[in-house]
Amino acid sequence: KMSVPDYMQCAEDHQTLLVVVQPIGIVPEESFFRIYRRISAVSQVNVRDSQRVLYIRYRHHYPPENNEWGDFQTHRKVVGLITITDCSSAKEWPQTFEKFHLQKEMYGSTLYDSRLFVFGLQGEIAEQPRTDVAFYPSYDECETVEKRIEDFIESLFIVLESKRLDRATDKSGDKIPLLCVPFEKKDFVGLDTDSRHYKKRCQGRMRKHVGDLCLQAGMLQDSLVHYHMAVELLRSVNDFLWLGAALEGLCSASVIYHYPGGTGGRVGSRRAQGGSLSAEAGNRHRPALCRSPCADSLPCSVPGALTSNGINADTSAEIGRAKNCLSPEDIIDKYKEAISYYGKYKNAGVIELEACVKAVRVLAIQKRSMEASEFLQNAVYINLRQLSEEEKIQRYSILSELYERIGFHRKSAFFKRIAAMQCAAPSIPEPGWRACYKLLLETLPGYSLSLDPQDFSKGTHRGWAAVQMRLLHELVYASRRMGNPALCVRHLSFLLQTMLDFLSDQEKKDVTQSLESYTAKCPGTMEVITLPDGLKLPPVPFTKLPIVRSVKLLNLPTSLRPHKMKTLLGQNVSTKSPFIYSPIIAHSRGEERNKKIDFQWVQGDVCEVQLMVYNPMPFELRVENMGLLTTGVEFESLPAALSLPAESGLYPVTLVGVPQTTGQITVNGYHTSVFGVFSDCLLDNLPGVKTNGCTVEVIPALPRLQISTSLPRSAHTLQPSSGDEISTNVSVQLYNGETQQLIIKLENIGTEPLEKLEVTAKTVNTKEKLYGEFLSWNLEDTLSQFPLKPGKIATLTVNIKVKLDFSCQENLLQDLSDDGISVSGLPLSSPFRQVVKPRVETKALNPQESSKVGDFSHVKMLEAILNFKYSGGPGHVEGYYRNLSLGLHVEVEPSVFFTRVSTLPAT
């Protein structure tokens, strides 16, 4: 029984001669395979004085039991043996040569010729001319290896040709021997060898055997004729095993004719044969004599006389080829028939399996995938002996490769995954986890799975998520058994990021717990992991933990916003330019306009970016070390830590940082640390994120001014029409005509000196008629303290003078009346009125109180805004200033006049 199948078999292997190359003694593996590659490169040799080509198939290991099937199919027979050995001294030579003879005895029954290549031996022995031994000083000094191999192949051809001529010639009076496979020999003991049935069996098997020899000898047409004759003879005696072999030989010869490039898929392994085969019918090296009459009506190309150059000019063979060669469709039908015959014999399981593989390779070229899958399905269920784990891995890997070739990618991945599991089977003493991991990686394309997270950012998921998650779990387990925690973290991160929508709540908890346990030993990074075979695993940023829906760059607070200088301090920085409207320009710059940000950030000031995020996890999500990713300007990101509730809605998060230099700064994304995995999340990779623009200009640093006054604060806030924010509000109560000083302290709390200051005032929210100048100040004393260095304070005194029109106030006397004593019917004011009703002390007013004050018609209110425009340092050169406003509330009461009343003495 043939025990070891050759899964790499293809139809064109039927025309090859099998040569085994093996070491003798202790030969370094690297040196052996170095010579083996040079030997196996000589795989095609042109036969002298003919247009025939010999094809050689090399193996460095071949089971002797398979060699016993050489009569059944001659391409399985070891016809050549090449041995390689190290021999450094003459003393070792006899023992080495003895080992060579012992090696030949292993394949002695089938060998045509053999060679021994000896490396390292020099001297008298090496100088003796020998045909079967070649001596070389070293593995580096062996230029003639290829030439020796060509000579060796020619010697094989001579033996092959003699055997073909001997078997093809019908010697009258001689009985044709019965060729048998090993398990048949006991079945033919005691049979009547003179019966017609027995003779036909012998003739049919011999015809099939001669067809094999003709195919190996490069005589394609002759092999077709012999195969056809063998099929008819064997069919008549129901010799099904050999009938299947004859049909398979017919298929192989037809495949070689139709597909000269080969079906094995080994690029460059075969020479294109179309031209030589088309002329082969008229140019054939033929035997000189053939006495055997053809048994059927098919033309026999065996007889013919040789010309002077060994080429037969008989053109009738072309006609025979057209009739004998199977069509592409018939090839598959004959393969099916042959396989059905093989299936009748349990000892022919390997032959049946290899025939299925050969048929699949032919169907792959014909692009008949469904039929090929039927052959493969049959191959899966062929029962062989108990295979070793290594043989199982090889079998499933080849099945995967064949399914891949016919376009069944998922089926291919299925068998590749089974092969991976076999690498770590419990029965293996030392499981091959690296091989298992490598095979699992090769299954990814078949399951529509890529290890690049960007392939999953487009929003459309391909493939079966349940199978993909199972495969990713297996990659994690194999990585752990390999002792590579970084790979575990990378694959678990990928699983959590890409399969989050398909994980149940419990699975989310389990995966995150496993991830945290791995990252405790090996934190996840954004570095690319390079595997030993060169495959690169890209980083996996957690863009879904949390999910960001919008990004908005915030303007600076009103008191810190820079303004472009126009007429500040008597300078006109900006220049007017003509404006030309063009709808074409507006349309082409639409996208750019949408991303335009019309405010600036300032170097050295804290800037803010607001993100709207939510937590998709069924538990509280802790995000550590969250900050901004920027380009264009040196930027100090101030990290933040978040704790988002389970499955929270949109939640605002503000990330801050300080630009250290000037220029254009672009917010590209943000970085996080979740479950021990550090992620750099770029906005370009976030689908559905809304943004009002990501690029803003950073201008040079400006001074920062803080104002404090001598007056108390007011709770009432002014709302100026310009929309500028007022930093602080103060209040004061005055009598009409009274003057009071407002002392303002200007403190430079920034890092730049304050060089320029402009103070303006504007009265708002009043309809009163005001006489004279309401607010006045002198900046000379204040500016004399400039430039105001950081931390220094300058003082400004503002004079507040109120003079309003209080005439025509009907209720004035009522408000000033005393407790009701009247003279001549007129109410009189008490001289102690001021004591009885004292003036309300100056205090902060709230809106409720101010409304009550308004009830007194004699109390009026004035409101004004003091505006401070200041600049300094590099910001002044760039033409920017800052604006700070002070709100002033003044309550004005009328002046009170008193008269002294005296009585006349009584007369």
Side-chain angles (χ1 to χ4, degrees), residues 451-737:
L451 292 181
D452 189 350
Q454 292 188 4
D455 295 339
F456 292 82
S457 62
K458 301 175 183 178
T460 57
H461 186 90
R462 296 176 61 246
W464 291 353
V467 178
Q468 292 171 343
M469 288 190 290
R470 177 67 179 272
L471 182 58
L472 289 173
H473 276 296
E474 290 169 353
L475 283 173
V476 173
Y477 185 76
S479 303
R480 183 174 70 85
R481 295 302 299 267
M482 288 166 55
N484 194 333
L487 272 183
C488 298
V489 172
R490 182 60 50 89
H491 291 312
L492 267 179
S493 303
F494 183 86
L495 171 63
L496 190 59
Q497 168 68 19
T498 59
M499 303 295 168
L500 186 63
D501 298 337
F502 305 99
L503 293 172
S504 65
D505 290 350
Q506 185 59 43
E507 287 174 335
K508 291 177 181 177
K509 294 178 182 178
D510 294 341
V511 171
T512 52
Q513 288 175 359
S514 299
L515 185 59
E516 286 181 318
S517 66
Y518 285 125
T519 54
K521 304 175 183 177
C522 180
T525 65
M526 289 297 292
E527 296 180 358
V528 176
I529 297 179
T530 303
L531 300 178
D533 58 354
L535 180 65
K536 297 182 183 297
L537 298 183
V540 182
F542 278 158
T543 59
K544 293 185 178 180
L545 298 172
I547 297 177
V548 177
R549 282 295 177 230
S550 68
V551 178
K552 182 179 181 181
L553 276 66
L554 301 182
N555 201 348
L556 294 173
T558 305
S559 60
L560 298 179
R561 293 176 187 173
H563 302 272
K564 193 74 174 177
M565 282 187 186
K566 294 182 179 178
T567 57
L568 175 62
L569 309 175
Q571 300 178 10
N572 189 2
V573 178
S574 63
T575 58
K576 294 183 178 181
S577 59
F579 172 74
I580 302 176
Y581 172 75
S582 171
I584 300 177
I585 297 177
H587 176 73
S588 63
R589 295 182 179 177
E591 183 178 354
E592 180 181 348
R593 187 172 62 252
N594 291 338
K595 293 187 177 181
K596 181 180 179 182
I597 296 180
D598 57 357
F599 58 80
Q600 296 84 27
W601 284 350
V602 179
Q603 174 188 358
D605 286 355
V606 176
C607 305
E608 299 177 333
V609 177
Q610 187 182 71
L611 279 65
M612 299 300 293
V613 304
Y614 73 89
N615 172 23
M617 305 299 280
F619 49 83
E620 183 182 21
L621 180 65
R622 295 181 57 83
V623 184
E624 302 175 356
N625 194 29
M626 189 173 187
L628 295 172
L629 297 175
T630 61
T631 56
V633 165
E634 184 180 344
F635 188 80
E636 180 187 0
S637 178
L638 304 178
L642 311 178
S643 182
L644 301 176
E647 298 179 348
S648 64
L650 285 178
Y651 187 86
V653 174
T654 302
L655 301 180
V656 300
V658 180
Q660 304 295 325
T661 56
T662 61
Q664 295 285 336
I665 184 173
T666 300
V667 176
N668 297 320
Y670 58 93
H671 62 82
T672 60
S673 175
V674 183
F675 305 126
V677 178
F678 297 92
S679 303
D680 291 341
C681 305
L682 301 179
L683 299 182
D684 293 339
N685 299 332
L686 302 180
V689 174
K690 297 180 180 179
T691 176
N692 64 339
C694 300
T695 302
V696 67
E697 180 184 3
V698 179
I699 64 172
L702 293 173
R704 294 183 62 178
L705 190 62
Q706 179 175 287
I707 293 179
S708 59
T709 67
S710 58
L711 295 179
R713 286 182 176 273
S714 173
H716 182 71
T717 303
L718 284 177
Q719 297 294 335
S721 59
S722 62
D724 292 336
E725 180 183 345
I726 296 177
S727 60
T728 186
N729 294 270
V730 296
S731 63
V732 64
Q733 291 182 339
L734 299 177
Y735 288 113
N736 193 27

Side-chain angles (χ1 to χ4, degrees), residues 187-492:
D187 298 332
F188 293 115
V189 176
L191 286 182
D192 183 8
T193 58
D194 295 327
S195 66
R196 185 179 178 187
H197 188 277
Y198 183 84
K199 290 181 180 180
K200 274 196 172 185
R201 185 192 298 267
C202 294
Q203 290 175 359
R205 293 189 178 189
M206 185 57 69
R207 279 288 184 180
K208 187 266 169 195
H209 182 66
V210 173
D212 289 347
L213 294 176
C214 290
L215 191 58
Q216 286 183 306
M219 302 176 68
L220 180 60
Q221 174 56 38
D222 295 359
S223 66
L224 286 168
V225 173
H226 285 291
Y227 285 138
H228 271 289
M229 295 169 63
V231 167
E232 297 300 325
L233 289 169
L234 295 171
R235 196 187 299 275
S236 65
V237 294
N238 293 334
D239 193 355
F240 295 118
L241 181 62
W242 285 77
L243 174 57
L247 289 171
E248 187 182 354
L250 189 60
C251 292
S252 299
S254 301
V255 167
I256 292 169
Y257 173 72
H258 286 293
Y259 308 106
T263 63
R266 297 185 286 271
V267 180
S269 63
R270 294 182 61 81
R271 180 181 304 167
Q273 306 172 22
S276 62
L277 284 174
S278 62
E280 181 189 357
N283 302 300
R284 175 70 60 196
H285 178 71
R286 303 194 180 280
L289 182 62
C290 176
R291 297 191 182 93
S292 121
C294 292
D296 55 10
S297 59
L298 297 175
C300 177
S301 61
V302 176
L306 295 178
T307 60
S308 59
N309 60 355
I311 297 177
N312 191 336
D314 184 6
T315 58
S316 63
E318 183 64 30
I319 303 174
R321 183 202 316 285
K323 190 172 183 181
N324 296 331
C325 188
L326 299 176
S327 66
E329 293 76 15
D330 290 339
I331 291 174
I332 304 305
D333 293 337
K334 297 302 181 185
Y335 263 125
K336 290 181 180 178
E337 185 180 355
I339 291 170
S340 68
Y341 293 145
Y342 291 150
K344 297 178 181 292
Y345 301 88
K346 64 178 182 179
N347 290 330
V350 172
I351 303 293
E352 181 185 1
L353 176 61
E354 292 181 357
C356 289
V357 172
K358 296 169 192 173
V360 169
R361 297 186 190 278
V362 176
L363 285 167
I365 293 180
Q366 297 179 357
K367 300 187 183 303
R368 297 160 65 180
S369 300
M370 293 304 297
E371 293 180 69
S373 67
E374 295 176 5
F375 279 93
L376 278 178
Q377 194 70 17
N378 181 62
V380 171
Y381 292 107
I382 294 176
N383 187 21
L384 301 178
R385 62 173 175 82
Q386 187 65 31
L387 300 178
S388 65
E389 300 300 335
E390 184 178 352
E391 289 172 332
K392 290 179 181 178
I393 294 170
Q394 183 187 18
R395 181 179 187 182
Y396 293 131
S397 298
I398 294 298
L399 286 173
S400 171
E401 177 191 332
L402 293 173
Y403 271 114
E404 181 72 23
R405 182 169 296 185
I406 63 176
F408 283 42
H409 304 296
R410 196 169 61 203
K411 197 83 169 197
S412 170
F414 171 78
F415 281 102
K416 185 83 72 170
R417 182 166 164 264
I418 293 179
M421 295 299 102
Q422 290 296 141
C423 293
S427 58
I428 299 180
E430 296 181 2
W433 287 108
R434 293 187 181 278
C436 173
Y437 180 82
K438 184 177 183 299
L439 288 173
L440 286 175
L441 287 179
E442 295 175 3
T443 66
L444 296 179
Y447 291 116
S448 302
L449 191 59
S450 164
L451 292 181
D452 189 350
Q454 292 188 4
D455 295 339
F456 292 82
S457 62
K458 301 175 183 178
T460 57
H461 186 90
R462 296 176 61 246
W464 291 353
V467 178
Q468 292 171 343
M469 288 190 290
R470 177 67 179 272
L471 182 58
L472 289 173
H473 276 296
E474 290 169 353
L475 283 173
V476 173
Y477 185 76
S479 303
R480 183 174 70 85
R481 295 302 299 267
M482 288 166 55
N484 194 333
L487 272 183
C488 298
V489 172
R490 182 60 50 89
H491 291 312
L492 267 179

